[in-house]
Amino acid sequence: MNATQMNRMSNATGPLLEIRDLHVGFQTQDGLVPAVRGVNFTINHGETVAIVGESGSGKSTTAHAIINLLPGSGRVTQGEVLFEGRDLTKLKRSEIEDVRGKLIGLVPQDPMSNLNPVWSIGFQVEEAIRANGIASGRKEVKEHAIRVLKEAGLDDAETRLKQFPHQFSGGMRQRVLIGIGLSSTPKLLIADEPTSALDVTVQKRILDHLATLTRDSGTAMLFITHDLGLAADRAEKLIVMYKGRIVESGPSRQILQDPQHPYTQRLVAAAPSLASRRIQISGGHLDSIEHEVPKGSEDIDLIAAGEARTHSVATTAEPAIVVDKLTKVFKIRGGKAGSREITAVDNVSFSIPRGTTMALVGESGSGKSTVARMLLKLETVTSGSIRIGGTDIAKLNRRELFSLRGKMQPVFQDPYGSLDPLRSIAATIAEPLVTHDVGTAAERKARVRELLEQVSLPETLMGRYPNELSGGQRQRVAIARALALKPEIVILDEAVSALDVLVQAQILNLLAELQSELGLTYLFITHDLAVVRVIADTVAVMSKGRIVESATTDEVFGNPRQAYTRELLNAIPGADLTLGA
Amino acid sequence: MARYLLWRVLQAIPVLIGTTFLIYFMVFAMPGDPILALFGDKTPNPALLARLRAEYHLDEPFIVQYWYYFTGIFQGDFGTSFTGEPTTEILARTFPVTIRLAVLAMLFQSIAGILVGLVSGLRKGKLFDASALAVSLVLISLPIFVVAFVAQYVFGIQLGWARTTVGAGAPWADLVLPALVLASVSFAQIVRLTRASVIETQGLDFVRTAYGKGLSRSRVIPVHILRNSLIPVVTYLGTDFGVLLVGATVTEGIFNVPGVGRTLYQAILRGEGPTVVSFVTVMVLIYLVVNLVIDLLYAVLDPRIRYVK
């Protein structure tokens, strides 16, 4: 009936990979900490299977255990990894070295850190080809490398062989890694979050390409991702992992439409890509489509949040931020040509009504973060004006600027980088109060308590330090700090991009609640259109420094005018899925 | 690249003027009359004293003395020592010896240090690693003269493998033991530096990817782990070459090596301005050149660094 069963029938010889009761643990000072506990699954020849789960669920550990590349103290404590009938966990070092690359290819997660910065791209592709005995002799190896890179979508491969990784963009590096992974036409390709670091449109192009390549060569793929929509889009079979165990597995569509396990149900409800897709199909009338909001997931149901928002757009309010013909030109010192100018932000104008959210959407390099930095006066303006609450911020003196900063607070992307590791949570949240000399020590302490409650964090965290908190908790702390001075405007620069989907959903809901409670104005900067659907009232799409489209969220999603916006929308994973319709 | 080189050479000029001026000033400011000191207990003839003072420009103000010296450099005249020997000849006699010593030490410490550090890092927590760490700690803690005396006693006297003092002309074979002693501290530092660097590199993503590509251990270790780990070590070696030249003073004294260190020490005691300044100038020059070479080597080791100026 489905592809999985058809494959099973056509392959009487048995599955390509069979994992039986796999346990993996990490040796720590407190003894063996289990990371994978009793995982069973099979992958047939030519089949694509996706493992979905949040960070720490054991999905990457499972993948690395297959090819015996567990980091540090990790080891397989029990179970078998049968590849074509051979148990890979029992192989000697030289034997597993023969399996890696040649029979099982690996496309790793982060394109920035997975290529050695000191060797040229050509060198790194060629050494893989030579090690797996695909070609020998300088000329043949080079030809093969060029072919592999071209297949992976690097059109000018010949001229780029001599270049180094830092001269490549993230997308291009990912193509190189895919090329390396597929260079010896392996029987199985392990793709560990191959596109999580990339923009959505690049992600779509690369995954389309990867799908074509694996289909053409009959390579099976184990696809690891945290994005349920993406997984369902790309794989026939889904495996959902939670805390080292498989909680649910089966055909992708079935899992999406009828999730059984509570964790899967929450994932389905929280995945922004799916939620935005649902709202889109429903045309704003959720009752007309059959979708199950599972029990226990009310608090993170993004569909409900998005739905509520579509009726509450208040565009009549006076503008909190007015940006007029904003332009930023950077001078880049170049080699022989001297200096060169780059227009990062080009004639950008928008206004945000008080109490609403505007999303500024664009891919990396589109200039969206530069706009945010200029609003915060962290960057000088080349031309144009920014008016906050009616005052032109260019004309402010130091004292006025200081009080403006109290009214406008930022939350940044990386909750690990934006908190000082040497300051306790209480000290971190109280810092803006101290800087702006608000209240007595006791009053500040009371305010910190109040803020922690607002962001739903327990008071017991006050004395703790950032490294003792999870990513979601840290981002809540960053939000609490931003709210300390009771600002009117919060600038959220990719504030949820680094978080797992469930945490992301919680933070998005928190932001929505805080907005209606405190009447905040948000400028929400993101590359993820899926998130925009559930948080923003208006959307401005940026590309190459210009705003190419600007309208209400409904208009942008329902009736995108620009080809670029359509491309962005189509790249949201899960767009081809039919959900209950 | 050519522009970068030119820029670096231009940068060296103020450094050179600054250091020579400073050293000259310090020698000038030393208490005591160097000429009087030459006569020891005897009372010199005032006329002779005045003539000697005039010959060495000691009767002129400091800035004029410095000017005579500085302009002299450009005519190849580095001044004359109180023994009447031109400074250039002393330089030509002593520098090759010390450079030979420093190069030998450099070879020992880099080759042995990197090898031991690599094995230590790869076998972190094992016996080899623990012993290497212990030995390096001892070498770092001990003052160099202790190491020198112990080496002299054990290898020179007890075992008789090497001569305890360096003979005339300072042949390479005689310099091996002093070079080993001179290298000992830096060897220990390099072991630790390489070890830490190897451990860090080993855990990086591209190393796992290299294994994932199907590369064997014997390829990943030199090509992906050691190569990347060497970048900080090379920086250290660069700054260390200068330290070796200066640090040779103690070692040269103990092993009686007729090199720069001993001569410079004596010149300082005698207050011979031109000799001291000339030695320091040459050392500064060597230091600048070595650092330039290291910076260029850095760009070879790490392609992300490209010099544009």
Side-chain angles (χ1 to χ4, degrees):
Chain A
M1 190 189 150
N2 59 41
T4 316
Q5 282 157 343
M6 272 165 50
N7 258 327
R8 201 164 281 159
M9 276 186 281
S10 64
N11 267 303
T13 48
L16 176 68
L17 180 79
E18 184 173 7
I19 292 183
R20 285 189 193 154
D21 192 30
L22 183 72
H23 285 75
V24 179
F26 287 89
Q27 194 70 49
T28 66
Q29 287 172 333
D30 308 324
L32 196 71
V33 174
V36 174
R37 329 170 192 210
V39 160
N40 290 287
F41 67 89
T42 57
I43 301 176
N44 294 308
H45 291 269
E47 188 183 37
T48 299
V49 174
I51 303 184
V52 190
E54 58 194 13
S55 47
S57 62
K59 55 188 197 305
S60 287
T61 308
T62 305
H64 291 141
I66 294 171
I67 45 175
N68 200 358
L69 279 181
L70 289 169
S73 62
R75 61 192 169 90
V76 174
T77 50
Q78 196 185 320
E80 291 177 317
V81 175
L82 297 172
F83 183 78
E84 298 184 309
R86 233 182 349 159
D87 187 354
L88 297 185
T89 61
K90 304 239 167 16
L91 293 187
K92 277 188 284 181
R93 197 174 73 204
S94 61
E95 289 170 332
I96 189 82
E97 279 170 2
D98 285 343
V99 172
R100 287 186 207 135
K102 199 186 271 178
L103 299 175
I104 304 182
L106 172 71
V107 178
Q109 184 165 6
D110 180 2
M112 295 315 186
S113 64
N114 275 292
L115 288 167
N116 189 334
V118 309
W119 295 112
S120 70
I121 296 295
F123 179 91
Q124 298 188 57
V125 180
E126 284 168 19
E127 72 174 351
I129 292 165
R130 219 172 271 127
N132 294 313
I134 302 306
S136 57
R138 186 181 272 248
K139 212 175 149 203
E140 287 88 82
V141 171
K142 193 177 170 190
E143 277 167 10
H144 192 84
I146 291 171
R147 193 165 62 241
V148 158
L149 289 176
K150 279 196 169 158
E151 279 172 8
L154 268 186
D155 295 327
D156 45 356
E158 288 102 328
T159 51
R160 289 192 154 267
L161 280 183
K162 283 204 179 107
Q163 286 188 306
F164 288 90
H166 68 273
Q167 293 161 307
F168 278 51
S169 71
M172 276 156 43
R173 292 191 214 187
Q174 196 62 62
R175 283 167 204 268
V176 172
L177 287 166
I178 288 172
I180 291 173
L182 287 170
S183 63
S184 51
T185 337
K187 292 185 175 163
L188 174 67
L189 185 75
I190 297 174
D192 184 2
E193 304 255 15
T195 55
S196 59
L198 306 176
D199 287 326
V200 272
T201 51
V202 183
Q203 165 173 293
K204 184 169 158 59
R205 254 174 276 145
I206 286 187
L207 288 179
D208 285 346
H209 208 80
L210 192 57
T212 317
L213 289 177
T214 47
R215 199 186 316 123
D216 291 352
S217 58
T219 299
M221 182 155 75
L222 179 62
F223 184 70
I224 291 158
T225 177
H226 65 277
D227 188 336
L228 195 60
L230 192 64
D233 229 8
R234 301 288 167 182
E236 295 116 50
K237 207 162 90 181
L238 269 188
I239 293 169
V240 182
M241 279 189 79
Y242 181 63
K243 293 192 172 165
R245 289 199 178 87
I246 293 181
V247 294
E248 192 159 357
S249 69
S252 305
R253 200 150 298 173
Q254 193 186 315
I255 290 193
L256 277 198
Q257 284 166 355
D258 186 18
Q260 299 296 317
H261 191 275
Y263 177 73
T264 322
Q265 292 171 350
R266 288 168 65 203
L267 268 188
V268 172
S273 54
L274 298 174
S276 71
R277 174 70 190 146
R278 282 228 198 76
I279 296 169
Q280 217 173 323
I281 339 168
S282 74
H285 297 287
L286 279 171
D287 310 331
S288 65
I289 63 156
E290 175 208 336
H291 94 283
E292 316 235 327
V293 179
K295 270 184 282 172
S297 63
E298 286 87 351
D299 58 328
I300 49 157
D301 189 8
L302 287 182
I303 307 169
E307 176 67 4
R309 179 165 289 282
T310 52
H311 300 299
S312 69
V313 182
T315 42
T316 47
E318 55 170 319
I321 301 176
V322 180
V323 168
D324 190 35
K325 297 192 184 105
L326 193 63
T327 301
K328 176 73 195 177
V329 178
F330 285 109
K331 280 204 172 78
I332 300 212
R333 282 163 67 164
K336 285 161 194 155
S339 67
R340 175 163 77 92
E341 289 189 344
I342 284 187
T343 309
V345 176
D346 190 2
N347 211 6
V348 161
S349 304
F350 59 81
S351 78
I352 310 178
R354 200 174 291 279
T356 68
T357 303
M358 187 184 96
L360 195 55
V361 187
E363 308 200 318
S364 47
S366 62
K368 56 189 195 303
S369 284
T370 311
V371 171
R373 294 177 61 80
M374 284 192 285
L375 275 174
L376 292 164
K377 265 211 140 190
L378 299 173
E379 194 76 75
T380 58
V381 173
T382 308
S383 71
S385 72
I386 300 169
R387 301 175 78 82
I388 309 272
T391 16
D392 189 336
I393 63 166
K395 298 193 175 74
L396 298 181
N397 61 32
R398 276 177 70 157
R399 192 177 303 157
E400 287 164 336
L401 182 64
F402 186 68
S403 70
L404 171 78
R405 291 218 158 111
K407 286 189 211 147
M408 183 167 62
Q409 290 280 305
V411 176
F412 295 107
Q413 171 170 12
D414 181 7
Y416 296 86
S418 62
L419 299 180
D420 185 339
L422 298 180
R423 271 172 182 272
S424 71
I425 300 306
T428 300
I429 297 176
E431 191 181 13
L433 299 172
V434 177
T435 312
H436 285 258
D437 204 17
V438 178
T440 62
E443 283 167 2
R444 282 182 206 137
K445 206 166 178 186
R447 177 77 181 131
V448 170
R449 284 215 177 84
E450 191 188 343
L451 285 163
L452 280 174
E453 200 192 313
Q454 270 180 343
V455 298
S456 313
L457 286 175
E459 240 179 65
T460 48
L461 288 186
M462 285 177 76
R464 301 242 214 125
Y465 286 85
N467 65 342
E468 300 169 308
L469 269 56
S470 72
Q473 284 177 322
R474 287 182 213 203
Q475 201 59 302
R476 282 170 195 266
V477 170
I479 292 170
R481 176 175 60 183
L483 294 177
L485 291 167
K486 302 186 177 159
E488 291 157 18
I489 299 164
V490 180
I491 294 179
L492 301 144
D493 191 355
E494 301 272 11
V496 297
S497 308
L499 306 172
D500 280 329
V501 271
L502 286 178
V503 183
Q504 190 180 58
Q506 286 163 359
I507 298 284
L508 288 174
N509 271 358
L510 173 70
L511 289 171
E513 277 168 35
L514 290 171
Q515 183 168 47
S516 60
E517 240 171 73
L518 307 172
L520 298 170
T521 306
Y522 290 148
L523 175 62
F524 193 90
I525 291 165
T526 182
H527 67 277
D528 189 354
L529 259 182
V531 172
V532 168
R533 188 70 178 99
V534 297
I535 184 97
D537 300 303
T538 53
V539 180
V541 180
M542 272 189 93
S543 171
K544 292 173 188 152
R546 291 169 176 273
I547 290 188
V548 293
E549 182 153 5
S550 174
T552 65
T553 311
D554 282 343
E555 277 171 18
V556 168
F557 276 74
N559 183 22
R561 304 245 167 79
Q562 296 292 322
Y564 180 73
T565 315
R566 274 198 292 278
E567 194 189 333
L568 277 180
L569 285 171
N570 286 334
I572 298 177
D576 301 332
L577 298 170
T578 48
L579 286 160
Chain B
M1 187 64 196
R3 281 180 64 174
Y4 175 75
L5 271 176
L6 184 69
W7 173 244
R8 285 292 296 259
V9 170
L10 288 176
Q11 265 185 328
I13 293 172
V15 173
L16 211 59
I17 294 176
T19 41
T20 49
F21 185 84
L22 216 63
I23 298 289
Y24 212 99
F25 176 75
M26 270 144 73
V27 174
F28 179 85
M30 280 204 310
D33 186 327
I35 302 292
L36 267 183
L38 279 180
F39 288 92
D41 292 339
K42 288 181 201 156
T43 316
N45 176 345
L48 178 66
L49 203 62
R51 219 194 67 209
L52 276 173
R53 286 220 171 101
E55 193 185 324
Y56 291 102
H57 304 299
L58 292 174
D59 51 351
E60 315 245 18
F62 159 70
I63 198 76
V64 178
Q65 289 187 37
Y66 177 70
W67 177 250
Y68 277 124
Y69 174 75
F70 194 75
T71 47
I73 290 179
F74 292 100
Q75 293 151 22
D77 175 15
F78 279 80
T80 317
S81 90
F82 290 150
T83 53
E85 190 180 11
T87 313
T88 37
E89 273 176 33
I90 309 179
L91 283 172
R93 180 157 50 79
T94 56
F95 253 97
V97 177
T98 299
I99 285 182
R100 226 180 292 169
L101 185 67
V103 165
L104 262 186
M106 197 71 172
L107 280 177
F108 288 142
Q109 69 187 43
S110 47
I111 293 172
I114 289 169
L115 272 180
V116 173
L118 174 67
V119 177
S120 242
L122 293 174
R123 309 183 58 93
K124 186 189 167 197
K126 305 274 171 61
L127 182 67
F128 182 91
D129 180 36
S131 345
L133 279 182
V135 169
S136 68
L137 190 62
V138 168
L139 287 178
I140 290 171
S141 321
L142 283 178
I144 195 161
F145 64 85
V146 176
V147 180
F149 283 131
V150 169
Q152 212 172 24
Y153 180 73
V154 173
F155 297 108
I157 296 168
Q158 291 288 343
L159 298 170
W161 290 356
R163 290 167 63 177
T164 51
T165 55
V166 174
W172 288 93
D174 281 8
L175 287 174
V176 170
L177 191 61
L180 279 175
V181 170
L182 187 59
S184 64
V185 176
S186 298
F187 160 78
Q189 297 281 17
I190 289 167
V191 167
R192 289 175 161 249
L193 199 60
T194 312
R195 176 185 179 272
S197 191
V198 163
I199 290 171
E200 195 196 320
T201 311
Q202 234 183 337
L204 292 181
D205 284 347
F206 62 77
V207 173
R208 190 185 54 215
T209 303
Y211 283 119
K213 287 197 284 195
L215 303 188
S216 62
R217 215 171 129 81
S218 56
R219 175 156 179 105
V220 174
I221 289 172
V223 174
H224 289 284
I225 296 178
L226 183 61
R227 173 60 156 57
N228 291 61
S229 305
L230 281 183
I231 296 170
V233 178
V234 166
T235 321
Y236 176 80
L237 286 176
T239 51
D240 194 52
F241 192 77
V243 178
L244 281 185
L245 284 183
V246 182
T249 313
V250 175
T251 319
E252 284 183 1
I254 292 169
F255 288 96
N256 206 26
V257 181
V260 173
R262 227 181 42 173
T263 319
L264 181 60
Y265 181 65
Q266 286 160 4
I268 291 172
L269 286 186
R270 274 193 234 123
E272 290 181 60
T275 315
V276 176
V277 177
S278 302
F279 270 71
V280 172
T281 308
V282 174
M283 279 186 176
V284 168
L285 269 178
I286 291 177
Y287 204 78
L288 287 173
V289 169
V290 168
N291 269 294
L292 179 59
V293 170
I294 292 292
D295 278 350
L296 297 179
L297 202 59
Y298 212 57
V300 174
L301 277 176
D302 190 344
R304 285 167 296 183
I305 297 169
R306 283 286 174 266
Y307 295 114
V308 274
K309 180 71 202 185

